[in-house]
Amino acid sequence: MSDIPQYHLVINGESCAPASGEYADVINPATGEVVGSAAMGGAADVDQAVAAARAAFNQREWREMPPAERSRLLYQCAQLVLANAQELIGLEISCSGATLNRASNLDIPAVADLWMNLAEAVKVYPFVEAQSPRPLPEQWHSQVWKEPVGVCGLITAWNFPLLLYSWKVGPALAAGNTIVIKPSEMTPTSSIRLTEILQEVLPPGVLNIVNGDGPSVGDAMTLHPDIDKISFTGSTRVGKIVQTNCATTMKRCTLELGGKGPGIVLPDADLDMVAQGSLWAVYMNAGQACESGTRLLVHEDVYDELLEKLAARSAEVVVGNPADPATGVGPMSTEAHFHKVMGYIETGVAEGARIVCGGEPAEVPGCEGGFYVQPTVLADVTNDMRVAREEIFGPVLAVIRYRTEEEALALANDSDYGLSAGIWTTDLIKAQRLARDLRAGSVWINDWHMMRTDAPFGGYKQSGYGRELGRYSIDSYVETKSVSMSFERVPQKKAMQRIVHTKMA
Ligand code: TXE
């Protein structure tokens, strides 16, 4: 018998094999080795998971749990994440190529913080709000109730499996929904394991996981008549399919899609800070983050000086085995993705960009089977090139020259995407003015990735819609109901009814 660990589906509180009996290898992108075997679900498994989630939703106990009790449960989820941190970190590294540094210092603390934040948010969330009373004697009074949407289908991507999982599962649970989640079939192990762990505190059927690919499990979910809401993180291409499928049953839908984050460098900026910060912006998770700063728009007066600093700092970045704490940049998630990123670098050069540093596959001793790309800076990029317009999703920075602020703003906004944008300057008044004109869901001034678990995150334009994180994320998982009570018991005094009953005394 093989000693490769198996990862199953979790339906109605039980781990189970998929109806097809099929399992697929999970590959460690750092080495190319098989690190797990994960159940590949299909439409029949989705049906079962949805039925379990619907039954759990119909049991009033879960959806009507008082906020204080739900808050305690969300705290317990945070504690379970922390208690199992080492195992989850190991799985995150081996399935997705996350660096040890990132998984331990960013992902796990942020995941635990997110659950704790929701535990606080749920206590004060306005599940019931009274409308302001009218002058007395009032004929009727109205309240606004926020109710769980129902069964939520959550679909996540491979770049931050545990974070994306928590961004969706946390608020969906906080609002009282039940869940069927599909992780990316490329990185399912940490999400499956966390689902198993959370069963300890959740009633059966509340949280189900069905791993599988997009065309089988993804489509089965987005077209399923008994799923009420879909929340999706992934490519804009698939986001459009998801939105179209959701329309068939008018499912609620939240989409967190790609980005092409522009950073505007004003001539007064501290160039050392920009060089370090803009490389953090693009190289975090080897560039495989939707909010990465991938286009750097640099004023002509400081263009050459900044390029020199970028090249020098970029060369210092340590590419290596993600499990090594000294590693700053790990591998591309898959071999196919590695080739895609290398292809973009070639395309950039063919279109007239100049490689200032990097541009080649990176050699990592001991990880010869891995998929590594050298941190790469491309100069002389213009905004019409593919490397400036399309999401490369690798450690590749496109540097674009501009002359005036108006031109910089126009270039920044000249994109199908609108997820993140940034400004590097010492003039914070000017920064606020520019921030107002940038068409992006997050604007960062003099740093990047400044995401908080209690601040909203999401896109403008083709970067999607809806907001995740904090109490705003609970808004995405509730329906709004207006409830009005009439106090007047004398029919003749119900003023509006005179519109029909015109003969009333
Ligand atoms: O994404 P997909 P891929 C971008 C990034 C990357 C590119 C392609 O530019 O290079 O997308 O990555 C599921 N119905 N982002 O191909 O296919 C799939 O199984 C329902 C940005 O991996 O969009 C996985 O769970 N679901 C992004 C999820 O969609 C379907 C993160 C994402 O995979 C489906 C990832 C279907 N028909 C990629 N087809 C971000 N916003 O951070 C696939 N999926």
Side-chain angles (χ1 to χ4, degrees), residues 342-361:
M342 291 307 301
Y344 267 116
I345 296 173
E346 280 169 30
T347 305
V349 172
E351 288 182 316
R354 171 168 56 99
I355 295 177
V356 175
C357 60
E360 300 288 332

Side-chain angles (χ1 to χ4, degrees), residues 49 60 70 93 135 146 219 221 235 243 276 372 380 385 464:
R60 300 177 159 273
R70 199 183 294 289
I93 294 172
K146 302 281 187 184
D219 281 346
M221 288 171 68
S235 61
Q243 184 173 14
Q276 164 137 341
Y372 300 90
D380 303 342
M385 293 181 185

Side-chain angles (χ1 to χ4, degrees), residues 155-159 164 182-186 212-215 217-219 222 232-239 241-242 245 256-258 288-291 337 340 391-393 419:
I155 300 174
T156 56
W158 44 264
N159 48 346
L164 299 180
K182 186 195 97 58
S184 165
E185 65 278 22
M186 292 189 270
D213 63 25
V217 176
D219 281 346
T222 54
F232 172 82
T233 295
S235 61
T236 296
R237 181 188 70 80
V238 174
I241 298 172
V242 168
N245 286 355
E256 203 271 275
L257 310 174
Q288 301 166 118
C290 48
E291 81 282 4
H337 188 54
K340 181 175 156 189
E391 199 175 38
I392 300 174
F393 234 53
L419 192 58

